[in-house]
Amino acid sequence: MTLTAPSPPGDAGWVALSTVTARRDLGLRLETPVQGPPAWVRWAGVVELADPAPHLRGGELLLTSGAGLDLSPDPVQAYVASLVGAGVGAVGFGAEPGNAPLPDVLVRECRRQFLPLVRVPAETPFVAVCQAVQDLLRARRQEELRWLETTHHNLARAAYEPDPRAAMVNVLTHSLGCWAVLVDESGQVCESSGPVPSPLPRALADLAAAARRAVAPEWVRANVDGEELLVRRIGAGDVLCAGVSGGLDAAGRAVLGAAVVPLESVGGPRVGGTRAARLTSALSRLVLADPVAVGRARRDAVTSLVPSVFARWRVVCGAAVGDEAAAGPAEVREIVASPVVEVADGRMRGVVPDRGGEDGAPGWGVLEELRSRGWLAVLSRPVAADELHEADTEARGLLERARAVGSPLTWQGADTSWEAMVNQSQARRLSSAMLAPITGGDTTSRDLRHALRVWLAHHGDLDRTAATLGTNRRTVRERVEGVQRRLGVDLADPEQRMRLWFALRWATDPR
């Protein structure tokens, strides 16, 4: 498996001072050399106080014009000392008009106490510096989100490698710049990746024992010689151990946590593709099941295995079309960038990350690529993990429309506006009551519901309905008549057809 995740961007809540001073539009100039490691700041603000320390949180690029500041040696020494004690990242001093130098006593004291001092030219407003810092922080956050999405995608893809556990451990070390091992109950290393120390740190055995004793799986941590060791139980008795130099930031901890669900879902090397099929089928049933049945487990599976920057997902449904063989399961999952896609018997459905409106319409490029590979597919509206069951219902109804018009479809904004005009809970109750005579779990009821949906999607055309159902006109006519008898409606009435179409769309279980 080729890994595409870049190195972790570091804590996105900080930006290098050198990046701020490099902005040509600000004209900033560093007056004192930075001693030791590079200087970082996490916000910028204007503070015109003789003793600002009580009002600071640390990491500031503190901007001041020196108003009210006594520039005698002792007060300046106390002023700089208070800033250093408060953890200020740097001081930006507003220069006077022209090219007047900064006060010598301030430059000397900042140099002596190793506090970076930046000259802010008179023509640069302090608010411009604050805005620049915010822009740079926002850019770093976007970089972090892209890295998280790519890393989560790599973890999901690793589940389909010949040796999925080894592949996942490799993704972790590649993405986090750490070493990692999977240790079985006997203490033997069964998977490893990265610069694993030999021998392993002595503290690792005690951490692994503590992780196995924990009632609920949780991370056990320890710092050994500047390296953070993290251990967690995986499954019944195995433990995942990782060593990170300097520790992990929030994004790194999120990636390490995201690896737990897929690691517990797979075992060792698989034979053929049977496990991949079983895993995908199980995941599809989990994330698309009724929310009452699965609760938090579905949310954890979706967020861990189907990455999405915006924490929104869509349900994809499709049917194989054309004379040539449609793309297989592995290729479909690659196209839609999600492992939770089940393909069987010429049908396909699953969960894909919401891309926030790429290609002019959400996911339109994905649908066109699927069509070129033999699949007519649709995408539901973007939803949170808790709403995937509803999105699945909508997508299946949308697929019937797509088959009727012969073109891929996405959930358009107009549909969303129409939905907003309807009381959803009341619509579901009324729809379920209307369809109650054909909502049983028996084969006849399922056939009648499916035939009704397809017949309505094809505007009552018996030939097209029969072709879609893979049957004949007589069978279609018999099923339509069966619907009329059970529901007590006249399907020649366009208003009744309209009501039934919306009932199928909103019913609690329209299958």
Side-chain angles (χ1 to χ4, degrees), residues 319 345 347 400 403-404 444 446-458 460-480 483:
D345 301 325
R347 306 283 288 190
E400 298 299 342
R403 297 185 72 170
T444 301
R446 288 197 299 269
D447 288 344
L448 291 178
R449 290 196 301 271
H450 187 40
L452 175 61
R453 180 186 291 277
V454 175
W455 184 80
L456 290 172
H458 288 301
D461 189 307
L462 293 177
D463 290 322
R464 295 173 65 192
T465 303
T468 301
L469 295 176
T471 184
N472 53 59
R473 288 169 54 93
R474 178 179 176 180
T475 300
V476 172
R477 187 181 293 108
E478 290 175 349
R479 291 179 182 176
V480 171
V483 169

Side-chain angles (χ1 to χ4, degrees), residues 171-184:
V171 170
L172 284 179
T173 59
H174 172 83
S175 302
L176 300 179
C178 66
W179 59 264
V181 295
L182 268 175
V183 181
D184 62 20

Side-chain angles (χ1 to χ4, degrees), residues 222-297:
N223 286 300
V224 179
D225 298 329
E227 185 174 58
E228 185 178 15
L229 301 180
L230 302 100
V231 179
R232 176 173 170 139
R233 186 175 77 235
I234 301 294
D238 294 352
V239 292
L240 171 65
C241 312
V244 188
S245 178
L248 287 176
D249 58 18
R253 289 193 296 273
V255 166
L256 199 58
V260 171
V261 171
L263 277 171
E264 291 181 336
S265 301
V266 298
R270 64 172 181 265
V271 178
T274 54
R275 179 185 302 148
R278 289 198 302 270
L279 176 62
T280 299
S281 179
L283 288 173
S284 296
R285 289 194 299 271
L286 172 64
V287 301
L288 296 175
D290 187 284
V292 177
V294 293
R296 183 175 178 181

Side-chain angles (χ1 to χ4, degrees), residues 215-447:
V215 177
E218 60 182 16
W219 289 103
V220 181
R221 297 177 172 84
N223 286 300
V224 179
D225 298 329
E227 185 174 58
E228 185 178 15
L229 301 180
L230 302 100
V231 179
R232 176 173 170 139
R233 186 175 77 235
I234 301 294
D238 294 352
V239 292
L240 171 65
C241 312
V244 188
S245 178
L248 287 176
D249 58 18
R253 289 193 296 273
V255 166
L256 199 58
V260 171
V261 171
L263 277 171
E264 291 181 336
S265 301
V266 298
R270 64 172 181 265
V271 178
T274 54
R275 179 185 302 148
R278 289 198 302 270
L279 176 62
T280 299
S281 179
L283 288 173
S284 296
R285 289 194 299 271
L286 172 64
V287 301
L288 296 175
D290 187 284
V292 177
V294 293
R296 183 175 178 181
R298 191 252 309 283
R299 293 194 297 274
D300 292 343
V302 174
T303 54
S304 296
L305 295 176
V306 189
S308 177
V309 167
F310 301 102
R312 307 280 283 179
W313 291 267
R314 295 175 184 270
V315 173
V316 59
C317 279
V321 294
D323 298 329
E324 298 182 2
E331 188 174 353
V332 169
R333 294 179 195 120
E334 190 70 26
I335 292 172
V336 301
S338 169
V340 188
V341 178
E342 189 171 12
V343 179
D345 301 325
R347 306 283 288 190
M348 169 262 291
R349 74 168 185 159
V351 177
V352 300
D354 176 38
R355 299 294 177 179
E358 294 177 351
D359 304 317
W364 190 256
V366 171
L367 296 182
E368 288 295 336
E369 187 171 357
L370 285 171
R371 189 177 191 180
S372 70
R373 300 296 298 125
W375 289 97
L376 178 63
V378 299
L379 280 174
S380 74
R381 61 189 169 95
V383 298
D386 287 340
E387 301 174 283
L388 280 168
H389 175 65
E390 290 80 2
D392 180 37
T393 299
E394 295 164 357
R396 284 185 285 106
L398 195 60
L399 180 59
E400 298 299 342
R401 290 169 54 189
R403 297 185 72 170
V405 301
S407 175
L409 293 175
T410 63
W411 192 269
Q412 299 298 321
D415 289 327
T416 305
S417 300
W418 175 260
E419 295 287 331
M421 295 162 49
V422 178
N423 183 309
Q424 297 291 308
S425 59
Q426 185 177 3
R428 289 192 179 96
R429 284 197 305 272
L430 293 174
S431 299
S432 297
M434 182 182 297
L435 296 173
I438 60 171
T439 54
D442 57 286
T443 302
T444 301
S445 295
R446 288 197 299 269
D447 288 344

Side-chain angles (χ1 to χ4, degrees), residues 75 86 90 101 134 160-161 169 186 193 246 372 389 398 417 491:
Q134 287 301 110
Y160 297 93
E161 290 295 302
V169 172
S186 66
S193 183
S372 70
H389 175 65
L398 195 60
S417 300
L491 291 179

